[in-house]
Amino acid sequence: MSRPLRATIHLDALRANLAVARRHAPRSKVLAVVKANAYGHGLERAVRALANADGLALLELDAAVRLREAGYAKRIVLLEGFFEANELPALDRYRIAAAVHDAEQIAMLERFRPAAPLDILLKLNTGMNRLGFAPDTAAAALARLEACAAVGPVTLMTHFAEADDVRGVAWQVERFEAALGGRPHEKCFANSAAVLRYPETHHDWVRPGIMLYGSSPFVDTTAAALKLEPAMTLASRLIAVRELAPGERVGYGGTFTAERPIRIGVVACGYADGYPRHAPTGTPVNVGGTLTRTVGRVSMDMLSVDLTPVPQAAVGTPVELWGTACPIDEVARAAGTVSYELMCALAARVPVGEDGG
Ligand SMILES: *Cc1c(COP(=O)(O)O)cnc(C)c1O
C-alpha cells in the first residue's frame, strides 16, 4: 500500500459554488479568481469545472498563456498587471487583460504598438493601500490611458480591504465615487465577501475567489450557512495506534501530556504536506466519521489524534484533515490562519485526484 494521504478536488462543488456566486450577483459577469494554482486546487482542473464563468483572474502570465494555448477563449485578467515591457507582446498575442496600477505601466503602454488595443483595468487604491492609483491621481491616469493607442476600453477596478469585516465597503466606495464617480466605464470591484454581502458593489464584473473553493470569507458565518460546498478534501489514514499511560507525552517538545489513560492515533500527514505546523492540540480532525482533535505538535510527515471519542478506530481507519466532514475554516481558525493559506500550501508531494467531473 502506498502512503494513504490524498487530496480530492470536488468538481461539482466548484460548479455549485460558482452558481452561488451567480445567484448573489445575477446581473454581473463573473471573473473566477484562479490565482495561485486555483488556490491550490489545480489550475487546469478548476478552470474546467468553472467553464461557465465569464472569465478568469490570476497573476501569473505563464499560466494565462497556458490557458490560452489550451483553448480558453474568454477574458483572462492579470490582477497585478505586467511587470516589464517585455511581457506586453504576450498580452497582445494571447489577448490577456491586465490591471494597471502605476504610472510606469502606463509609460510602457505608451511605448508599445500592439496588433489590437489591449484590455486594461485601471486599478484605484481606495484604502487597501496595496496596489493602485491614489484617488487624486486616478482621473489623470484614466485620461492618459484613454489617449494611448495601445489601450482599448478601460474597466475601472478597486479592491476591498475589509468587506469581510465590520468596517465594510462604503468608505472605499465613497473614495472611488469622489475620484471617478459617474463614469460610463465598466466596473469590477467585488471579492467573495462583497459578492455575498454588498450587492451595491457588484456592477459589471465580480471577482470571487475563496467562495468558489467552498470556504467562507467571514468569521461570523460558516460556509455551510452560505450554501458553499468544500471543493478540497485532504484525507489520510491512521498508520499507528497506541495507548498512553497518564504522564506520557506526545511528539516533539512533548507539548501534550496524557492526564488519564488515552488512546491516540498517528496520521500520515504532516507539515511537509501542507498541514499547518502551528495547529495546536485541539485542532479539529475527523477520524472514522467522528470529529475529534489533534494532540501534540504536528511533525513533518505525521500528526497525532485523540481516539477517545472513536474507540473502534484502528490502523487503516480513514482520517479527514479537512473537507466535507471537517470544515477547513475551523482547522484554519484553530491554527490561527485562514483557509486561503491552507489551500495554497497543499504540498506538491500530495497526490491529487478529482471527483464530480
Ligand atoms: C485574490 C483576489 C480576489 C479574490 O478574493 P477572495 O477573497 O478570494 O474572493 C479578488 N481580487 C483581487 C485583486 C485579488 O487579489
Side-chain angles (χ1 to χ4, degrees):
M1 191 182 87
S2 57
R3 187 166 184 256
L5 182 64
R6 297 271 177 284
T8 305
I9 307 304
H10 311 297
L11 304 183
D12 43 6
L14 290 167
R15 276 191 291 271
N17 296 334
L18 175 60
V20 173
R22 284 215 186 275
R23 279 206 294 283
H24 281 267
R27 283 174 295 280
S28 307
K29 289 169 275 187
V30 177
L31 281 180
V33 179
V34 293
K35 60 190 178 187
N37 194 30
Y39 291 46
H41 292 65
L43 181 65
E44 279 77 9
R45 144 184 329 114
V47 167
R48 220 183 327 123
L50 299 170
N52 179 39
D54 302 291
L56 305 171
L58 40 58
L59 272 75
E60 306 87 355
L61 176 59
D62 58 331
V65 167
R66 258 193 293 137
L67 289 169
R68 278 284 184 255
E69 289 189 327
Y72 190 82
K74 295 191 237 184
R75 195 181 197 191
I76 302 180
V77 175
L78 299 182
L79 291 169
E80 290 182 353
F82 49 92
F83 304 87
E84 296 185 62
N86 65 13
E87 296 162 68
L88 290 172
L91 299 194
D92 182 24
R93 171 159 179 217
Y94 293 99
R95 301 282 95 206
I96 294 167
V100 162
H101 57 83
D102 80 7
E104 186 50 41
Q105 289 173 310
I106 300 183
M108 292 184 226
L109 288 166
E110 286 169 342
R111 292 190 293 266
F112 183 59
R113 295 284 166 269
L118 297 175
D119 179 358
I120 295 297
L121 296 88
L122 173 62
K123 184 152 186 188
L124 261 69
N125 170 26
T126 53
M128 176 79 169
N129 289 321
R130 202 172 57 177
L131 295 184
F133 287 89
D136 62 348
T137 65
L142 179 57
R144 221 175 132 188
L145 284 172
E146 297 202 307
C148 176
V151 175
V154 177
T155 303
L156 304 180
M157 174 181 173
T158 195
H159 191 51
F160 296 125
E162 301 179 47
D164 57 330
D165 217 327
V166 289
R167 197 176 176 201
V169 298
W171 60 285
Q172 286 189 263
V173 170
E174 269 170 39
R175 290 181 188 181
F176 178 87
E177 289 298 323
L180 288 180
R183 308 273 176 155
H185 302 74
E186 292 206 336
K187 296 186 196 67
C188 177
F189 291 4
N191 59 359
S192 297
V195 167
L196 293 164
R197 261 189 199 164
Y198 299 106
E200 68 276 21
T201 67
H202 291 172
H203 298 296
D204 307 275
W205 294 86
V206 294
R207 302 192 304 273
I210 196 69
M211 68 178 294
L212 301 178
Y213 306 102
S215 181
S216 171
F218 308 114
V219 290
D220 62 359
T221 310
T222 63
L226 296 166
K227 307 258 185 298
L228 300 173
E229 300 174 19
M232 181 191 290
T233 294
L234 182 64
S236 188
R237 289 182 188 275
L238 296 181
I239 58 172
V241 168
R242 61 190 63 257
E243 315 269 350
L244 300 187
E248 287 292 320
R249 311 208 292 192
V250 175
Y252 290 117
T255 61
F256 174 83
T257 305
E259 281 166 6
R260 48 189 163 71
I262 181 178
R263 226 169 139 246
I264 64 156
V266 178
V267 182
C269 179
Y271 63 78
D273 301 302
Y275 195 91
R277 182 181 175 277
H278 42 282
T281 290
T283 300
V285 55
N286 191 300
V287 178
T290 299
L291 269 181
T292 179
R293 57 172 185 154
T294 64
V295 290
R297 239 178 231 164
V298 174
S299 40
M300 185 182 284
D301 312 306
M302 283 169 268
L303 57 82
S304 298
V305 296
D306 181 358
L307 296 180
T308 309
V310 233
Q312 74 283 10
V315 170
T317 295
V319 176
E320 185 179 298
L321 288 315
W322 58 68
T324 44
C326 185
I328 191 168
D329 290 324
E330 287 177 29
V331 177
R333 186 170 352 217
T337 184
V338 288
S339 61
Y340 301 70
E341 188 181 12
L342 302 188
M343 292 173 183
C344 292
L346 185 72
R349 82 174 186 183
V350 179
V352 182
E354 58 188 48
D355 63 19

